[in-house]
């Protein structure tokens, strides 16, 4: 029997019907229409499906939607401001060449956002360790690490304020 799940999605309260076994990614991409969240492996191995739950990065392909009841979820759509401007972290990914095909980018950026929430000025080793669970077949990772470093040196973006 479907349940009603209520939670905050990118700063707005939402309620959605979902089967108790439904995965968060399916509810985000399906009834809630947030297709920025990508599915790669579906098994917790690639990080493409990463979103933030209460500021922590989780794999939404493994996360039961019922567990977000009353909590705060941030997807890639939620990093832009009200005028649609990209967050500093998103801009840095574009400027540093951290986005190529773009499939891994939402998950990479949200994983990096969670790191910057906890550690505003991470070392390269900390960035690489944090992003170890996010796979990219295009960039070779160097530009992604440089993008996170660049974002960390700029004025705090929305993701660093806990959006
Ligand atoms: S799709 Fe979730 S970790 Fe790969
Ligand atoms: S930019 Fe293509 S998978 Fe990362």
């Amino acid at each position: 029997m479907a349940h009603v799940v209520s939670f905050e999605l990118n700063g707005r309260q939402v309620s959605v019907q979902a089967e108790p076994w439904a995965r968060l990614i399916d509810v985000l991409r399906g009834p809630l229409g947030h297709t920025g969240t990508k599915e790669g492996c579906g098994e917790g191995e690639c990080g493409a499906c990463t979103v933030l739950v209460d500021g922590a990065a989780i794999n939404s392909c493994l996360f039961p939607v019922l567990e977000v009841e009353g909590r705060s979820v941030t997807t890639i759509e939620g990093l832009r401001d009200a005028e649609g401007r990209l967050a500093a972290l998103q801009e840095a990914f574009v400027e540093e060449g951290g986005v190529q095909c773009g499939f891994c980018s939402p998950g990479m950026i949200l994983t990096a956002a969670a790191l910057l929430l906890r550690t505003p000025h991470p070392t390269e080793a900390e960035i690489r360790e944090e992003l170890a669970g996010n796979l990219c077949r295009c960039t070779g990772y160097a530009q992604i690490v440089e993008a996170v470093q660049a974002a960390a040196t700029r004025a705090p973006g929305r993701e660093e304020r806990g959006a």
Side-chain angles (χ1 to χ4, degrees), residues 20-42:
W21 55 83
R23 308 177 306 167
L24 177 58
I25 188 170
D26 293 327
V27 175
L28 290 172
R29 289 182 52 86
L32 294 172
H34 282 54
T35 55
T37 303
K38 304 303 182 202
E39 179 163 12
C41 64

Side-chain angles (χ1 to χ4, degrees), residues 25 38-49 59-62:
I25 188 170
K38 304 303 182 202
E39 179 163 12
C41 64
E43 298 178 346
E45 298 291 338
C46 74
C49 64
N59 290 328
S60 63
C61 72
L62 298 180

Side-chain angles (χ1 to χ4, degrees), residues 38-41 46 48 98 100-105 108 134-141 143-144:
K38 304 303 182 202
E39 179 163 12
C41 64
C46 74
Q100 290 189 24
C101 83
F103 191 82
C104 73
S105 306
M108 281 288 182
N134 290 74
L135 304 184
C136 176
R137 62 193 167 189
C138 304
T139 65
Y141 300 100
Q143 299 99 312
I144 288 174

Side-chain angles (χ1 to χ4, degrees), residues 108-124:
M108 281 288 182
I109 290 170
L110 287 164
T111 299
L115 171 64
L116 295 180
L117 278 171
R118 297 194 318 273
T119 309
H121 300 288
T123 64
E124 179 179 342

